[in-house]
Amino acid sequence: MTFDVWTHQMPWIEIYGSEGTLRCPDPNTFGGVPMLKRAGAAEWSAMPLTHGFAENSRGIGVADMATALMRGGSFRPQGELAYHVLDIMQAFHESAASGNMLTCKAGVPD
């Protein structure tokens, strides 16, 4: 989509921003650590994981749901997260169309 990025390591999913690049783990292997390279930094930095399951974890959604149900909490694959992701995707579209930076309407669900 652009050559105006700080750096890249394709073919992973990457998010390019005004202050650096966020590289997400390969979604085909279901494992890995998100990496961040800030503008002007020489090296990528590992981002801390907040929900565990960093290894190849096919079935992570079911495991996350079972753990939440046993503990009485909420789990990630719920409607609120889907709406948040949709809001982000729509913001990408609107930002590209208008040429302006946008803020998503919804907050990140717990």
Side-chain angles (χ1 to χ4, degrees), residues 26-91:
D26 183 349
N28 296 306
T29 61
F30 295 88
V33 176
M35 301 294 287
L36 177 67
K37 188 164 184 192
R38 295 190 185 275
E43 302 292 327
W44 290 86
S45 301
M47 299 302 295
L49 296 175
T50 59
H51 290 82
F53 300 107
E55 65 283 347
N56 187 341
S57 299
R58 289 189 183 268
I60 190 171
V62 174
D64 187 57
M65 181 174 69
T67 300
L69 291 172
M70 288 188 303
R71 294 182 181 166
S74 63
F75 51 95
R76 286 175 278 182
Q78 290 188 5
E80 293 86 7
L81 181 57
Y83 282 125
H84 179 63
V85 171
L86 179 61
D87 186 34
I88 291 170
M89 292 168 55
Q90 182 64 29

Side-chain angles (χ1 to χ4, degrees), residues 1 15 81-97 102-105:
M1 302 263 321
I15 301 169
L81 181 57
Y83 282 125
H84 179 63
V85 171
L86 179 61
D87 186 34
I88 291 170
M89 292 168 55
Q90 182 64 29
F92 288 159
H93 175 72
E94 291 176 14
S95 176
L102 300 175
T103 301
C104 292
K105 300 167 192 75

